[in-house]
Amino acid sequence: MAKKKVIIAGAGLSGLTLGTALAQRDWDVQIFERSLELREVGAGLYTWENGLKVLETIGVFDEASQNVEFITNLDMIDKTYGLMHSTKFTNESRFCVIPRREVHKALVRACERAGVKIETNAETVSADPSGNVQLRDGRTFKADLIIGADGVHSNVRNSLNIGIKEVVGNGAWRALIPRIEEDKTGVAEEHWNAYRRIGIAPSTDQYRYIYLTGMTADEEALSEPFNKDAWLSSFPHLESVLERIDQCRLDKNFYYIYLNSWKKGRVALLGDAAHGMEPNLGQGAGVSITSALELAKQLEWNDIDIALNCWEMLMKPTADKTQIWSRIYGAAAANWPKELLGIRPEIISNAMGSENIDLMLSTAARYVTGLEVAVR
Ligand SMILES: Cc1cc2nc3c(=O)[nH]c(=O)nc-3n(C[C@H](O)[C@H](O)[C@H](O)COP(=O)(O)OP(=O)(O)OC[C@H]3O[C@@H](n4cnc5c(N)ncnc54)[C@H](O)[C@@H]3O)c2cc1C
């Protein structure tokens, strides 16, 4: 019997994960990537139990996570250095920060091993529900299934004329900084002062990951070039960390993507193209690669139409909830009424201490594909 064929637009973390998982299930996989080369940005990737299980399942964990340090505590700290909340991690609920480039490189190699064909400098401009795609250079292709894994600004999604893209007035700088002996081990921190936040986390034995997030309207904080003094004025106690920033990358705005359904005929949207969100919970990629593996499993067990229905039924509630809680977290961080900032630490501390809120915030981390699969 001829192999089933899938065409994937986008060689980001979602597209590469799905490509690997489907090729491992004997699909003929073609990925078209718009960029001239296969690469990721130089930053860290918060990776929780859900994402780690995916990397393990498709066989890229060892390569991606070399010298990565596992984190035992994630602390939220207010401007007076008071601890608002500490989340603890165990061997069953792991958390670490893997350099993005390592995850991406390991996924590209896994694709190669599994026989995935990847073509760069190949932009998808449109797809139609009958399973055809068109590239910018005019070529057209047909497949049993087309996947739009082409990020928040997805051409595939736009060409289907579905979904809503919402721009959020918050953004972030990201960098990997050299690690020094005085750095804490096993502890990640997020420091809050008014509407600015700085997160610092151990990554590998050589690097720490730092992100600096604030409102887009806060020009001093979120305009190029990076203004170290603006951030020092809010976080003077983090001077030793800020001084180590050399190269950093700015995302001036974040985006939410909302879809009633992730599929139309033989086209499905995956990852940020389907459920882009503010990175407040560090779960955008985690949910995306979990969804990719879940889709591959459903396609192994079911006909394509049934598989797409089962996949969406299983994954969409988790993605929807993660978007909602990312938005709530973002509102507490960046939209809190100015006159009530003084009581924010106490309110956050009480809220984060509640078991229900903890459960909601960790919805994505707890969705480990393979354990919750009930539909065949
Ligand atoms: C500041 C910031 C911090 C974040 N931190 C974390 C974190 O710590 N942990 C976490 O889990 N998530 C995090 N995220 C979210 C995470 O980055 C995304 O959810 C994840 O990268 C989505 O992967 P993707 O493959 O769906 O999309 P993308 O990473 O956007 O990849 C899309 C790919 O498609 C290509 N492409 C685009 N258009 C086309 C086209 N028309 N044709 C062909 N190819 C195309 C692009 O070049 C790219 O290679 C963060 C996001 C931001 C902005």
Side-chain angles (χ1 to χ4, degrees):
M1 209 168 68
K3 286 183 177 186
K4 285 188 189 141
K5 183 175 173 76
V6 62
I7 291 176
I8 301 174
L13 302 178
S14 313
L16 293 170
T17 302
L18 180 67
T20 304
L22 278 179
Q24 288 170 344
R25 288 161 174 77
D26 214 25
W27 277 61
D28 175 1
V29 182
Q30 170 74 63
I31 302 183
F32 291 121
E33 164 58 43
R34 180 182 58 185
S35 304
L36 296 182
E37 49 184 290
L38 298 171
R39 63 188 147 79
E40 248 290 351
V41 300
L45 188 72
Y46 270 33
T47 314
W48 317 73
E49 192 63 37
N50 55 332
L52 291 168
K53 279 273 165 43
V54 174
L55 299 179
E56 285 168 341
T57 306
I58 63 171
V60 304
F61 172 79
D62 289 341
E63 189 179 341
S65 66
Q66 275 174 33
N67 304 318
V68 161
E69 178 179 322
F70 278 87
I71 293 167
T72 53
N73 289 58
L74 172 55
D75 293 345
M76 294 170 74
I77 297 166
D78 70 22
K79 71 168 185 180
T80 63
Y81 323 138
L83 183 67
M84 293 192 283
H85 184 68
S86 183
T87 306
K88 313 256 183 277
F89 300 92
T90 65
N91 287 340
E92 285 73 47
S93 65
R94 294 168 296 168
F95 171 51
C96 62
V97 180
I98 310 180
R100 275 181 180 258
R101 285 192 177 139
E102 299 307 319
V103 185
H104 192 264
K105 263 195 288 179
L107 283 169
V108 169
R109 277 200 278 267
C111 276
E112 285 164 2
R113 282 195 301 275
V116 174
K117 290 162 274 178
I118 306 181
E119 186 178 327
T120 52
N121 196 15
E123 181 182 356
T124 306
V125 287
S126 64
D128 72 55
S130 59
N132 295 297
V133 279
Q134 183 169 18
L135 303 194
R136 174 74 59 202
D137 60 19
R139 285 180 293 160
T140 56
F141 298 89
K142 186 163 179 62
D144 298 294
L145 179 63
I146 309 292
I147 301 291
D150 48 349
V152 280
H153 307 294
S154 171
N155 280 356
V156 173
R157 186 187 65 239
N158 293 340
S159 72
L160 295 174
N161 220 0
I162 54 173
I164 294 171
K165 178 166 80 183
E166 185 190 330
V167 187
V168 185
N170 300 321
W173 290 99
R174 286 180 279 174
L176 287 171
I177 59 171
R179 194 148 184 187
I180 57 173
E181 223 164 274
E182 295 78 65
D183 286 336
K184 289 182 190 164
T185 51
V187 180
E189 294 172 347
E190 191 175 77
H191 295 260
W192 292 42
N193 187 352
Y195 303 122
R196 294 179 180 173
R197 279 178 290 151
I198 294 187
I200 313 155
S203 179
T204 63
D205 51 356
Q206 285 187 36
Y207 294 107
R208 303 194 93 199
Y209 170 49
I210 174 165
Y211 59 84
L212 308 94
T213 179
M215 292 159 71
T216 310
D218 181 355
E219 292 259 330
E220 278 201 322
L222 283 195
S223 291
E224 292 190 85
F226 177 60
N227 182 343
K228 209 170 278 183
D229 291 337
W231 288 94
L232 269 173
S233 70
S234 298
F235 301 97
H237 54 297
L238 298 181
E239 185 175 359
S240 127
V241 174
L242 290 165
E243 289 303 335
R244 275 180 268 161
I245 296 179
D246 178 16
Q247 289 185 327
C248 51
R249 174 205 155 92
L250 175 63
D251 285 272
K252 206 160 167 116
N253 285 104
F254 299 140
Y255 300 88
Y256 279 95
I257 302 297
Y258 293 110
L259 291 172
N260 289 331
S261 171
W262 292 344
K263 58 193 188 333
K264 195 165 178 181
R266 286 302 173 94
V267 185
L269 295 153
L270 180 71
D272 275 9
H275 47 70
M277 64 184 87
E278 277 184 284
N280 296 317
L281 305 185
Q283 268 291 1
V287 174
S288 299
I289 65 174
T290 305
S291 178
L293 180 57
E294 190 66 71
L295 177 56
K297 286 171 154 182
Q298 294 300 330
L299 288 165
E300 179 185 359
W301 295 329
N302 297 304
D303 288 343
I304 293 174
D305 295 326
I306 294 174
L308 291 176
N309 282 335
C310 293
W311 161 67
E312 188 172 78
M313 212 168 75
L314 281 167
M315 274 316 299
K316 198 162 183 299
T318 296
D320 290 349
K321 261 192 227 163
T322 310
Q323 284 184 311
I324 291 170
W325 282 91
S326 181
R327 201 178 255 288
I328 292 172
Y329 194 97
N335 288 331
W336 195 275
K338 209 170 182 178
E339 57 282 10
L340 298 179
L341 279 172
I343 55 168
R344 183 172 68 175
E346 194 187 334
I347 295 177
I348 298 273
S349 178
N350 287 337
M352 295 292 291
S354 135
E355 210 172 291
N356 284 340
I357 289 192
D358 186 51
L359 277 175
M360 289 297 138
L361 289 171
S362 63
T363 300
R366 288 182 294 103
Y367 187 102
V368 174
T369 179
L371 298 184
E372 293 196 15
V373 174
V375 186
R376 273 205 187 211

